[in-house]
């Protein structure tokens, strides 16, 4: 594996110390280096890479987080219990949160962070992500960590690959995380922020635990009071003291400069708005990706003299709200539906005005969670037989520690932030607690405990919804459901797997011995003559090409007291499922029992899209739940009547 960055020849070509950035030796043989253009072209014949010209390597020796993302995710997973007085933290004062204590998911864990994506390394962010993260993971494996939180990852489409299975040996995170799993490490990853349109699942490998993001039962809100006394509820984080003043309103479209594209102006893109029209007014801008757009929007609005910003969702974003954590301007965020009310008012008068009220924190809101709009959705295009994401965790408006580096993008001890990056460390914290409770469990057993105890229900007892609050969410949005840490501590049964099970999974993709050596260099392994991926002992069950009959085999290990478990099936519409046997009797701990699911249907009368169900094993105390996902094979003949 080779990573490289090309630059013009402005150094001694014989001085290798200027070239090598990383040398990977513990997990696989690879290097990352800065090469001149001729050297890069030569190596490009071996491996395709991204090259950016006129770059320099200037890594400062500071390990400090200069962006905030790493501090936020680390403190979410394992931050110690810290009492915070309201006046000691701007974040809590601004959000009207009284004296509290903050802590991570596993507060007594010993944590270690590895700096990645160095801003000081003046190269492509994509290359930096790969080089630094691989070095970090290799170091973590060597340091003997128990859990790795990987709040990043690359998304591959089938157009990027000659065959879907090529992902597993082309993606560096896939290879490195496999070796981490071999070393007994639980790897927790984020599914990505490329929703809401499926399928854009990141980190699809079965040996990692892939996490989606949902909302929580806490809102940071304010009201927008319009000049006609209409009131619109909005999401808002920070603001200066309110002077209870109405200000003129102007939309990005109305503020555009001559010749600017109307759509671009409505999104308040740089160099599309007239500062003279905007100065001293509240600017109304449409956003495409919630909090991912908001910081750039407020920077632009500040630059051209706006007094505040109202961000409005487009139709795709719907109802998910992401208050802006940027402190530059008073900023409020409203839903697509409320945006129609706002624009109707603006268009109804020649002098529209509005004011924003102070931020309020509201807790125990319902329903929660809903699947966040930005959270990447399935199905898994790399291996459709593996359901991804695996579970959902809190990922919207999560308050955690922030970088204290004076050069950080924002200043403050704590900040609310949103993303699947925020969801993954919640699960990493749970995994760390499980590792402490059960030090001899495999990573697969820990994954299973978290997956099979998750719930697809929200806090109102109903099926979880998408962010539009109209459509019910599916396992492609939340996996098995919202994680439940207390239940995961006592799962009853687990779907366990060995390293060889995962290698058999790779064998099913027909890799040759040279490719398999990337994963099995420590020991020799011979692939079985045939492998059925459907029988991988995964905690979820997915049949993506159902032809009317199929069978799936699984094994469950008892990790509790002796008990008898009975099966309960909720079959997808139009499909019959028989469980053999439908009762599992365990007489001692660590006993494994095998069972089979037999699926049958008149496939000609099945819907062509994915259908969902579930399998539950219960002894009256434990509930061991697996999602079932089925898609009928495309028909070649007309429907029978």
């Amino acid at each position: 594996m080779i990573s490289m960055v090309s630059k013009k020849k402005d150094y001694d070509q014989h001085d290798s110390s200027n070239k090598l950035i990383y040398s990977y030796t513990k997990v696989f043989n690879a290097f990352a280096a800065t090469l001149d253009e001729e050297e890069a072209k030569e190596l490009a014949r071996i491996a395709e890479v991204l090259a950016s010209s006129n770059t320099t390597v200037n890594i400062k020796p500071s390990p400090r987080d200069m962006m905030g993302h790493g501090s936020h995710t680390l403190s979410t997973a394992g931050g110690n219990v810290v009492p915070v007085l309201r006046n000691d933290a701007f974040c809590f004062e601004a959000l009207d949160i009284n004296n509290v204590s903050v802590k991570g998911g596993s507060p007594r864990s010993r944590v270690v962070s590895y700096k990645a994506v160095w801003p000081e390394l003046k190269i492509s962010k994509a290359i930096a992500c790969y080089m630094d993260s691989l070095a970090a993971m290799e170091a973590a494996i060597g340091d003997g960590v128990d859990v790795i939180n990987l709040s990043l990852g690359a998304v591959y489409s089938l157009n990027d690959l000659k065959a879907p299975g090529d992902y597993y040996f082309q993606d560096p995170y896939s290879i490195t995380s496999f070796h981490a799993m071999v070393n007994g490490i639980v790897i927790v990853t984020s599914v990505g922020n490329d929703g809401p349109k499926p399928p854009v699942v990141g980190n699809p490998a079965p040996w990692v635990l892939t996490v989606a993001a949902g909302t929580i039962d806490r809102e940071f809100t304010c009201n927008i009071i319009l000049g006609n006394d209409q009131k619109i509820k909005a999401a808002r984080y920070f603001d200066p003291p309110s002077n209870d003043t109405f200000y003129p309103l102007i939309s990005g479209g109305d503020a555009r400069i001559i010749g600017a594209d109307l759509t671009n102006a409505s999104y308040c893109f740089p160099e599309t708005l007239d500062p003279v029209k905007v100065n001293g007014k509240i600017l109304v801008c449409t956003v495409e990706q919630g909090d991912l757009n908001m910081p750039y929007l407020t920077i632009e609005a500040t630059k051209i003299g706006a007094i505040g910003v109202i961000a409005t969702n487009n139709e795709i974003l719907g109802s998910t709200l992401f208050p802006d954590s940027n402190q530059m301007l008073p900023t409020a965020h409203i839903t697509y539906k409320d945006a129609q009310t706002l624009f109707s008012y603006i268009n109804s008068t020649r002098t529209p005005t509005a004011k924003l009220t102070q931020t309020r924190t509201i807790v125990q809101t319902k329903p929660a969670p809903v699947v966040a709009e930005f959270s990447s959705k399935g199905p898994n295009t790399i291996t459709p037989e593996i359901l991804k994401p695996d579970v959902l965790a809190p990922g919207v408006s999560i308050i955690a520690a922030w970088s204290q580096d004076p050069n950080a993008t924002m200043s403050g001890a704590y900040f609310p932030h949103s993303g699947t990056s925020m969801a993954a460390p919640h699960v990493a914290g749970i995994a760390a607690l499980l590792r402490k409770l059960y030090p001899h469990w495999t990573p697969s057993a820990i994954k299973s405990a978290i997956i099979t105890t998750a719930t697809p229900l929200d806090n109102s007892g109903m099926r979880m919804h998408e962010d539009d609050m109209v459509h019910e969410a599916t396992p492609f949005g939340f996996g098995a459901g919202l994680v439940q840490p207390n239940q995961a501590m006592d799962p009853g049964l687990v779907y366990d797997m060995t390293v060889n099970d995962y290698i058999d999974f790779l064998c099913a993709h027909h890799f040759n011995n040279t490719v398999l050596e990337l994963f099995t260099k420590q020991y020799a392994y011979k692939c079985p003559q045939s492998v059925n991926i459907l029988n991988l002992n995964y905690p979820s069950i997915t049949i993506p090409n159902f032809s009317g009959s199929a069978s799936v085999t699984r094994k469950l290990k008892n990790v509790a007291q002796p008990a008898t478990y009975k099966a309960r099936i909720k079959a997808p519409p139009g499909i019959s499922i028989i469980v053999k046997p439908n009762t599992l009797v365990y007489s001692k701990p660590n006993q494994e029992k095998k069972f089979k699911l037999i699926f049958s249907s008149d496939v000609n009368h099945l819907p062509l899209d994915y259908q969902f169900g579930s399998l539950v094993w219960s002894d009256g105390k434990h509930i061991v739940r697996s999602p079932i996902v089925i898609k009928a094979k495309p028909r070649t003949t007309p429907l029978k009547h």
Side-chain angles (χ1 to χ4, degrees):
M1 185 182 300
I2 302 167
S3 295
M4 71 186 89
V5 180
S6 75
K7 60 179 291 186
K8 292 183 177 179
K9 271 189 181 177
D10 55 1
Y11 55 81
D12 183 351
Q13 63 179 354
H14 300 294
D15 184 3
S16 61
S17 64
N18 285 337
K19 301 181 181 183
L20 187 65
I21 300 174
Y22 291 120
S23 177
Y24 310 102
T25 58
K26 296 185 179 70
V27 178
F28 48 76
N29 291 319
F31 69 88
T34 302
L35 307 175
D36 64 45
E37 292 174 347
E38 294 176 5
E39 291 169 324
K41 288 178 182 177
E42 181 70 19
L43 280 175
R45 295 188 302 166
I46 304 171
E48 292 184 9
V49 297
L50 179 63
S52 59
S53 61
N54 295 313
T55 57
T56 59
V57 177
N58 180 27
I59 302 179
K60 298 177 183 178
S62 171
R64 298 192 70 172
D65 172 17
M66 291 180 64
M67 298 178 66
H69 184 278
S71 299
H72 200 281
T73 54
L74 179 68
S75 62
T76 300
N80 247 338
V81 179
V82 179
V84 180
L85 296 177
R86 188 171 187 264
N87 295 332
D88 288 344
F90 166 78
C91 166
F92 293 99
E93 184 177 6
L95 296 175
D96 192 31
I97 298 175
N98 293 315
N99 297 348
V100 295
S101 291
V102 296
K103 64 179 180 179
S106 180
R108 297 300 299 273
S109 291
R110 290 175 293 177
V111 297
V112 56
S113 62
Y114 304 86
K115 185 166 179 175
V117 199
W118 293 57
E120 306 93 328
L121 186 60
K122 307 299 183 183
I123 62 174
S124 159
K125 187 175 180 180
I127 294 178
C129 246
Y130 273 130
M131 292 193 302
D132 299 345
S133 300
L134 294 182
M137 290 180 71
E138 184 180 56
I141 295 170
D143 290 342
V145 303
D146 294 303
V147 179
I148 291 177
N149 179 72
L150 191 65
S151 283
L152 53 81
V155 173
Y156 285 77
S157 72
L158 295 181
N159 295 330
D160 300 322
L161 307 165
K162 292 181 180 179
D166 289 352
Y167 161 84
Y168 296 108
F169 71 90
Q170 285 189 9
D171 180 70
Y173 300 125
S174 167
I175 299 170
T176 316
S177 62
F178 183 94
H179 287 282
M181 178 273 299
V182 170
N183 282 272
I185 301 170
V186 181
I187 311 98
V188 182
T189 64
S190 52
V191 74
N193 300 327
D194 295 298
K197 291 184 177 180
V200 284
V201 169
N203 295 308
W207 46 84
V208 302
L209 182 51
T210 309
V211 186
T215 63
I216 57 177
D217 62 349
R218 178 179 61 197
E219 295 178 353
F220 306 118
T221 70
C222 73
N223 287 322
I224 300 171
I225 311 296
L226 304 180
N228 63 359
D229 291 331
Q230 281 184 288
K231 185 186 294 184
I232 297 175
K233 181 181 175 182
R236 187 179 186 190
Y237 282 156
F238 307 126
D239 52 13
S242 174
N243 57 12
D244 202 36
T245 301
F246 281 86
Y247 291 96
L249 273 175
I250 189 167
S251 68
D254 290 339
R256 66 174 172 150
I257 59 176
I258 297 174
D261 178 80
L262 178 60
T263 300
N264 289 345
S266 69
Y267 283 90
C268 300
F269 287 165
E271 301 181 0
T272 63
L273 306 184
D274 186 341
V276 175
K277 295 179 181 179
V278 173
N279 187 57
K281 297 177 182 177
I282 297 176
L283 179 62
V284 180
C285 304
T286 304
V287 291
E288 296 179 283
Q289 289 182 283
D291 71 332
L292 301 179
N293 288 151
M294 215 82 76
Y296 304 101
L297 187 156
T298 53
I299 290 171
E300 180 64 18
T302 303
K303 188 188 302 181
I304 58 179
I307 201 76
V309 173
I310 298 176
T312 66
N313 280 352
N314 62 12
E315 190 170 8
I316 294 175
L317 270 177
S319 301
T320 297
L321 297 178
F322 310 95
D324 181 25
S325 55
N326 194 305
Q327 304 166 39
M328 303 177 71
L329 281 180
T331 305
H333 188 186
I334 63 177
T335 67
Y336 175 73
K337 181 179 179 181
D338 287 335
Q340 306 315 300
T341 301
L342 176 63
F343 286 120
S344 177
Y345 164 68
I346 291 174
N347 295 330
S348 71
T349 176
R350 296 181 63 182
T351 57
T353 60
K355 69 176 180 179
L356 309 182
T357 65
Q358 291 291 118
T359 299
R360 295 175 298 135
T361 298
I362 302 174
V363 296
Q364 297 181 341
T365 59
K366 292 185 178 183
V370 300
V371 179
E373 164 274 335
F374 59 78
S375 190
S376 295
K377 312 296 191 295
N380 180 347
T381 56
I382 304 300
T383 306
E385 296 86 353
I386 303 297
L387 175 64
K388 292 288 179 173
D390 291 302
V391 291
L392 176 138
V396 176
S397 298
I398 305 304
I399 297 176
W402 201 256
S403 172
Q404 294 296 285
D405 191 291
N407 298 311
T409 52
M410 292 179 285
S411 61
Y414 303 93
F415 268 101
H417 211 48
S418 300
T420 55
S421 284
M422 285 63 248
H426 282 81
V427 181
I430 298 171
L433 294 173
L434 284 169
R435 171 61 76 215
K436 176 64 175 178
L437 274 177
Y438 307 109
H440 301 297
W441 278 16
T442 66
S444 297
I446 291 175
K447 278 182 54 186
S448 176
I450 294 171
I451 292 171
T452 61
T453 57
T455 176
L457 305 181
D458 60 31
N459 60 358
S460 63
M462 303 299 289
R463 183 84 171 188
M464 215 181 299
H465 276 73
E466 296 288 350
D467 72 289
D468 61 9
M469 295 309 301
V470 174
H471 299 96
E472 281 193 356
T474 74
F476 288 146
F478 57 66
L482 175 67
V483 291
Q484 300 189 97
N486 291 341
Q487 286 80 353
M489 299 301 137
D490 182 21
L493 306 174
V494 295
Y495 294 89
D496 205 0
M497 279 191 275
T498 66
V499 173
N500 286 354
D501 292 322
Y502 288 115
I503 299 177
D504 285 346
F505 168 84
L506 294 172
C507 291
H509 292 84
H510 308 295
F511 294 152
N512 59 38
N513 289 336
T514 302
V515 172
L516 279 175
E517 283 178 5
L518 288 170
F519 298 90
T520 62
K521 69 174 185 177
Q522 295 97 333
Y523 49 88
Y525 188 82
K526 185 177 181 180
C527 286
Q529 288 189 343
S530 65
V531 178
N532 185 351
I533 294 179
L534 293 179
N535 292 331
L536 184 72
N537 206 38
Y538 211 71
S540 56
I541 298 160
T542 305
I543 304 176
N545 204 24
F546 183 59
S547 60
S549 63
S551 65
V552 171
T553 300
R554 291 287 189 274
K555 292 185 297 182
L556 276 167
K557 178 185 288 186
N558 181 33
V559 290
Q561 297 302 312
T564 299
Y565 287 79
K566 293 184 179 297
R568 185 170 72 249
I569 284 284
K570 182 180 179 182
I575 295 173
S576 171
I577 304 177
I578 298 173
V579 186
K580 290 187 175 182
N582 64 0
T583 301
L584 299 177
V585 180
Y586 294 92
S587 59
K588 57 185 178 180
N590 296 318
Q591 205 173 10
E592 275 193 312
K593 299 282 185 179
K594 186 180 290 188
F595 67 91
K596 181 181 289 188
L597 297 177
I598 301 172
F599 299 80
S600 60
S601 175
D602 180 354
V603 73
N604 290 317
H605 289 86
L606 280 182
L608 290 179
D609 55 345
Y610 279 94
Q611 302 296 314
F612 306 96
S614 62
L615 164 67
V616 171
W617 290 96
S618 180
D619 63 349
K621 176 184 176 183
H622 303 94
I623 294 177
V624 186
R625 184 181 174 279
S626 295
I628 295 175
V629 180
I630 295 182
K631 188 178 190 299
K633 184 177 181 179
R635 300 186 185 100
T636 56
T637 57
L639 280 175
K640 297 179 181 179
H641 296 285

